[in-house]
């Protein structure tokens, strides 16, 4: 049976014999850890030290190529994002200039924000109660089933429901 202590201390690395003997604090300590005094990872199974070195060198080259490719393509992306942002801001300014009663629009936006925040607080408080969330889920499932039975199951009911929806939509659109 092989001893487990050398693998845990990093004896498989080239610097491990120096660490095990207590010699050489420079390269041995740097190879063993990166300033945290952690043991080195055990070597990958099935690969020798030469193969590990080649794998590390190849992965460094791949990273280097990726960095160069990303740096070459980088200027195009911020320009496109900047143009989209500029278009959005200009459209927002045009819509704001079209509004006649800016005070009412601002008040409505603030009231909607406060209402959503308050509703979130109420839902969060209800969700913390022990029995209520399960009860609310059952009520929601029951109402959904009743709604589907009443408005979606049979063709005449479905047509009447879609007629009501379209009428409501036309009322909103016409103003």
């Amino acid at each position: 049976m092989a001893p487990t202590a050398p693998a845990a201390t990093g004896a498989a690395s080239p610097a491990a014999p120096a660490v095990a003997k207590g010699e050489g604090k420079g390269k041995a300590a740097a190879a063993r850890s990166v300033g945290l005094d952690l043991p080195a990872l055990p070597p990958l199974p099935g690969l020798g030290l030469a193969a590990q070195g080649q794998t590390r060198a190849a992965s460094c080259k791949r990273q280097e190529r990726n960095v160069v490719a990303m740096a070459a393509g980088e200027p195009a992306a911020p320009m496109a994002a900047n143009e989209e942002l500029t278009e959005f801001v200009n459209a927002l300014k045009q819509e704001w200039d079209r509004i006649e009663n800016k005070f009412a629009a601002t008040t409505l936006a603030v009231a909607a924000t406060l209402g959503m925040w308050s509703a979130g607080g109420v839902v969060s408080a209800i969700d913390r109660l022990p029995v209520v969330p399960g009860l609310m889920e059952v009520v929601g499932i029951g109402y959904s089933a009743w709604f589907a039975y009443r408005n979606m199951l049979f063709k005449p009911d479905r047509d009447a429901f879609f007629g009501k929806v379209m009428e409501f939509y036309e009322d909103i659109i016409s103003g």
Side-chain angles (χ1 to χ4, degrees), residues 9-10 13 15-16 19-20 25-35 37-41:
T9 60
S13 68
V19 173
K25 296 280 183 184
K27 290 184 181 179
R32 187 173 59 96
S33 67
V34 183
D37 292 330
L38 297 173
L41 293 174

Side-chain angles (χ1 to χ4, degrees), residues 52-97:
Q52 284 181 353
Q54 291 172 356
T55 305
R56 288 184 190 140
S59 68
C60 290
K61 288 180 185 176
R62 271 188 245 124
Q63 287 177 352
E64 183 178 319
R65 278 189 233 130
N66 288 342
V67 170
V68 171
M70 288 179 358
E74 189 174 319
M79 294 293 274
N82 192 15
E83 290 174 8
E84 290 177 6
L85 182 64
T86 304
E87 289 177 18
F88 176 73
V89 169
N90 288 338
L92 193 62
K93 285 180 183 178
Q94 288 176 357
E95 290 299 320
W96 182 252
D97 290 338

Side-chain angles (χ1 to χ4, degrees), residues 143 146-169:
Y143 181 77
W146 173 81
F147 181 84
Y149 174 74
R150 174 148 184 198
N151 296 313
M152 300 290 164
L153 193 59
F154 302 110
K155 182 148 179 70
D157 296 334
R158 198 171 34 242
D159 291 339
F161 174 71
F162 285 129
K164 288 179 190 175
V165 169
M166 292 306 292
E167 181 183 335
F168 185 67
Y169 175 76

Side-chain angles (χ1 to χ4, degrees), residues 96 99-112:
W96 182 252
I99 296 174
E100 294 177 14
N101 194 351
K102 292 180 177 36
F103 179 74
T106 305
T107 303
L108 182 63
V110 169

